[in-house]
């Protein structure tokens, strides 16, 4: 039952010759086939995966020490993959075969990973439930009547169901952390600039970051080390050398200051989620950490601020989908304008259109100062809140999302209810900080609860280390949903 093992364990097994990459790849491909009802994948590349696994086995036989050699992984369908469909969950790209690989894809390929396929996602990463995908909703393996979270819902469901040992995601306002919380995984959004955005289809360029969705902090460390690093093709990529995240996992928690923002522990949060988070924090206290009260007074401005800036950037980024250069093209158009209009009307879903409309409006003459400029000022104030809090503590802790996984269809018709899911996550993107969600138990319905850790800029190592210590004394992260 190789799917019961973590990525790190599988790596050791491969190196010691206890299993081959081809065997492992076959096993996971069979599981993907068996659990298609989850709708976690948009594309499965069985042939390519088996060929890559065979190459990896030969490299292992020759003593390769590549960090991910022979390990099956999956990419969110937002990452461009040469020769394989990259749809971004949209009809408008439902026939788009990328001519090149994203940097993240390139890095993981370089390190020997075997790509099984591309995972389902909210259209253009806009959503918190994976219900805006052109390819249909993804089901949460813990309860198929519930959402896996979004927008990286396919990656989260696939890893939770162990259809793949680990996967990539992207996070613009919470899309790695919230699905990690809903599916019982460890998901990390790195600092802005830590991971290259080259070849990652842009939603809101000043907020987007790629990161891992994994079974544990240890596995997330392994993946981040491969994904991260300076890339001259992304002008916002940081030049810092990527730390050895695995080496810093064994961290001493004595004296570590965990700041608990008053604003994250109020009555808007589900009682069972709050209890789970508090219980987890007690364990940290027992291991030597100190719990401190902090304040993030402008947290409530996060949602309105984010939902001006993200759509504004999206409206500009999505202007490139016009039926001329790539993707879907409407038939029978009398002139160029009609081609644009018809293509975009047919190609985009409702939520994407809503964002383009809001964003275009917020950027238009006369409204720019009232909305966009104001949102930029609020963004700065939110970042300053974090700066102040980090003078008192090393990590900010709280719930990842206000509830556990909600029902399919429950919020689909109410955009604002959906947006409110991001209340604890999107301020982090506005400030460019790293943050991680880790499993902290289950509610009475057996649904996972997520604990969020927010760190100082470029301090991913500390988040991973603290999460790892907790995972050494708890086993929430090792539980599998029933039937998988
Ligand atoms: N739920 C947020 C949104 O819809 C965040 C999405 C994301 O992080 N990609 O914009």
């Amino acid at each position: 039952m190789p799917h019961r093992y973590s990525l790190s364990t599988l790596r050791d097994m491969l190196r010691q010759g206890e299993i081959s990459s081809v065997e492992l790849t076959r096993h996971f491909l069979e599981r993907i086939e068996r659990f298609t009802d989850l709708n976690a994948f948009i594309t499965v590349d069985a042939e390519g995966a088996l060929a890559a696994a065979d190459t990896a086995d030969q490299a292992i036989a020759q003593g390769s020490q590549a960090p991910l050699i022979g390990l099956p992984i999956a990419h969110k369908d937002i990452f461009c993959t040469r020769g394989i469909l990259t749809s971004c969950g949209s009809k408008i790209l439902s026939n788009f075969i990328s001519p090149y690989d994203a940097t993240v894809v390139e890095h993981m390929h370089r390190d020997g990973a075997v790509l099984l396929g591309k995972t389902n996602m909210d259209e253009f990463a806009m959503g918190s439930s994976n219900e805006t995908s052109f390819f249909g909703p993804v089901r949460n393996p813990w309860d198929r009547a519930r959402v896996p979270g979004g927008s990286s819902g396919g990656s989260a469901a696939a890893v939770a169901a162990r259809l793949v040992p680990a996967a990539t995601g992207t996070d613009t306002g919470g899309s790695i952390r919230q699905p990690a919380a809903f599916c019982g995984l460890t998901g990390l959004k790195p600092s802005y600039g830590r991971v290259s955005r080259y070849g990652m289809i842009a939603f809101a360029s000043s907020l987007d970051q790629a990161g891992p969705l994994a079974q544990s902090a240890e596995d997330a460390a392994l993946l981040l080390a491969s994904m991260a690093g300076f890339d001259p093709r992304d002008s916002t990529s940081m030049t810092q050398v990527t730390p050895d995240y695995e080496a810093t996992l064994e961290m001493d928690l004595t004296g570590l200051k965990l700041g608990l923002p008053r604003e994250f522990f109020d009555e808007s949060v589900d009682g069972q989620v709050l209890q789970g988070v508090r219980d987890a924090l007690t364990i940290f206290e027992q291991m030597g950490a100190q719990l401190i009260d902090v304040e993030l007074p402008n947290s409530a401005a996060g949602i309105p601020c984010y939902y001006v800036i993200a759509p504004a950037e999206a409206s500009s980024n999505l202007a490139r989908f016009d039926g001329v250069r790539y993707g879907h093209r409407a038939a029978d158009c009398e002139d160029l304008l009609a081609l644009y209009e018809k293509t975009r009307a047919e190609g985009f879903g409702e939520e994407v259109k809503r964002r383009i409309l809001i964003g275009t409006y917020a950027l238009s003459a006369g409204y720019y100062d009232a909305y966009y400029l104001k949102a930029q000022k609020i963004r700065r104030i939110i970042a300053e809140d974090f700066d102040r809090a980090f003078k008192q503590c090393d990590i900010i802790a709280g719930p990842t999302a206000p509830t556990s996984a909600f029902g399919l269809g429950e919020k689909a018709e109410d955009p604002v209810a959906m947006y409110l899911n991001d209340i604890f996550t999107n301020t982090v993107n506005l400030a460019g900080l790293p943050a991680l969600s880790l499993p902290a138990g289950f509610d009475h319905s057996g649904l996972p609860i997520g604990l969020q850790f927010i760190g100082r800029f470029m301090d991913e190592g500390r988040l991973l280390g603290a999460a790892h210590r907790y995972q050494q004394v708890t086993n929430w992260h090792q539980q599998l949903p029933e039937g998988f």
Side-chain angles (χ1 to χ4, degrees):
M1 302 261 264
H3 61 272
R4 297 217 158 242
Y5 298 114
S6 70
L7 194 72
S8 322
T9 304
L10 291 173
R11 174 186 56 175
D12 299 340
M13 290 170 74
L14 280 166
R15 286 192 178 162
Q16 281 148 21
E18 288 168 32
I19 194 162
S20 73
S21 179
V22 168
E23 283 170 317
L24 209 53
T25 301
R26 280 224 174 88
H27 178 75
F28 282 106
L29 287 171
E30 273 164 27
R31 287 183 67 76
I32 293 173
E33 186 77 18
R34 195 162 129 211
F35 297 109
T36 44
D37 64 312
L38 294 177
N39 202 21
F41 280 82
I42 291 175
T43 303
V44 180
D45 181 21
E47 208 179 303
L50 287 166
D54 191 43
T55 308
D57 281 333
Q58 290 171 33
I60 293 168
Q62 281 157 17
S64 166
Q65 295 291 314
L68 301 177
I69 189 77
L71 290 169
I73 54 105
H75 287 304
K76 183 178 183 179
D77 209 18
I78 197 168
F79 293 99
C80 285
T81 41
R82 184 156 40 94
I84 306 172
L85 176 71
T86 299
S87 75
C88 216
S90 182
K91 180 178 177 185
I92 212 157
L93 286 178
S94 58
N95 60 359
F96 175 63
I97 310 279
S98 169
Y100 68 97
D101 278 335
T103 298
V104 164
V105 173
E106 213 177 80
H107 280 194
M108 290 173 74
H109 179 73
R110 168 201 70 198
D111 290 342
V114 171
L115 176 63
L116 300 188
K118 309 286 294 289
T119 58
N120 203 343
M121 56 179 284
D122 278 302
E123 185 179 9
F124 285 102
M126 298 175 191
S128 306
S129 67
N130 217 112
E131 292 168 296
T132 72
S133 170
F134 171 65
F135 300 89
V138 175
R139 294 175 182 277
N140 188 323
W142 292 95
D143 177 350
R144 284 178 167 85
R146 292 175 191 267
V147 304
S151 64
S152 313
S155 284
V159 179
R162 305 295 194 261
L163 309 187
V164 66
T168 57
T170 61
D171 191 312
T172 303
S175 282
I176 290 174
R177 290 161 285 159
Q178 184 252 24
F182 281 13
C183 290
L185 303 177
T186 306
L188 173 77
K189 179 204 100 70
S191 310
Y192 186 74
R194 175 67 88 187
V195 176
S196 168
R197 290 180 296 109
Y198 179 77
M200 193 177 112
I201 296 172
F203 162 13
S205 308
S206 76
L207 302 161
D208 297 342
Q209 259 298 291
L213 277 147
Q215 297 169 37
S216 63
E218 190 182 12
D219 286 1
L222 187 60
L223 290 172
L224 180 62
S226 176
M227 297 172 81
F230 173 66
D231 180 4
R233 293 171 299 185
D234 171 1
S235 62
T236 59
S237 167
M238 303 296 287
T239 52
Q240 270 99 326
V241 175
T242 308
D244 183 348
Y245 294 115
E246 273 190 282
T248 54
L249 281 175
E250 303 301 330
M251 181 177 117
D252 187 0
L253 293 183
T254 315
L256 180 81
K257 294 192 177 99
L258 296 178
L260 317 187
R262 194 163 43 92
E263 297 78 7
F264 285 21
F265 289 85
D266 67 5
E267 64 290 349
S268 68
V269 187
D270 173 84
Q272 292 172 40
V273 169
L274 221 45
Q275 196 52 50
V277 167
R278 285 195 199 282
D279 291 347
L281 291 172
T282 306
I283 294 182
F284 277 97
E285 217 175 4
Q286 287 161 0
M287 289 192 291
Q290 245 174 290
L291 306 185
I292 301 173
D293 290 326
V294 296
E295 281 186 13
L296 295 171
N298 297 292
S299 293
I303 299 266
C305 175
Y306 172 90
Y307 280 97
V308 170
I309 291 176
E313 293 185 19
S315 73
S316 159
N317 274 325
L318 270 55
R320 74 191 66 178
F321 303 107
D322 54 9
V324 175
R325 282 165 289 194
Y326 26 59
H328 173 73
R329 175 181 297 174
D332 306 323
C333 302
E334 50 285 7
D335 58 21
L336 186 62
L337 197 61
L339 173 75
Y340 293 161
E341 287 175 358
K342 239 178 124 188
T343 297
R344 289 166 69 84
E346 290 172 5
F348 290 136
E350 213 177 298
E351 183 60 27
V352 172
K353 285 179 186 159
R354 182 180 298 121
R355 306 268 180 126
I356 292 173
L357 286 173
I358 295 172
T360 307
Y361 178 82
L363 289 175
S364 55
Y367 296 108
Y368 183 92
D369 290 359
Y371 296 109
Y372 187 69
L373 202 62
K374 202 177 233 172
Q376 291 291 17
K377 288 179 182 167
I378 294 170
R379 181 177 192 170
R380 174 104 298 268
I381 290 170
I382 287 171
E384 285 167 2
D385 273 2
F386 280 114
D387 288 347
R388 258 191 304 275
F390 281 125
K391 291 210 169 77
Q392 292 170 263
C393 64
D394 304 305
I395 289 176
I396 292 173
T400 305
T403 64
S404 58
F406 49 88
L408 279 159
E410 199 179 311
K411 300 185 182 182
E413 302 305 320
D414 184 351
V416 176
M418 196 65 92
Y419 299 167
L420 282 170
N421 256 282
D422 306 337
I423 188 138
F424 302 129
T425 48
N426 68 16
T427 50
V428 175
N429 301 69
L430 290 165
L433 302 174
L436 164 152
S437 179
L438 69 153
F442 296 89
D443 68 9
H444 300 334
S445 315
L447 299 169
I449 292 170
L451 164 66
Q452 180 176 221
F453 278 170
I454 306 168
R456 293 192 184 99
F457 189 60
M458 296 308 242
D459 205 14
E460 288 83 358
R462 198 190 303 259
L463 302 182
L464 290 164
H468 179 64
R469 287 332 288 240
Y470 176 76
Q471 290 178 339
Q472 286 175 316
V473 299
T474 55
N475 68 357
W476 308 122
H477 64 291
Q478 287 163 338
Q479 320 258 330
L480 245 70
E482 221 184 288
F484 291 95

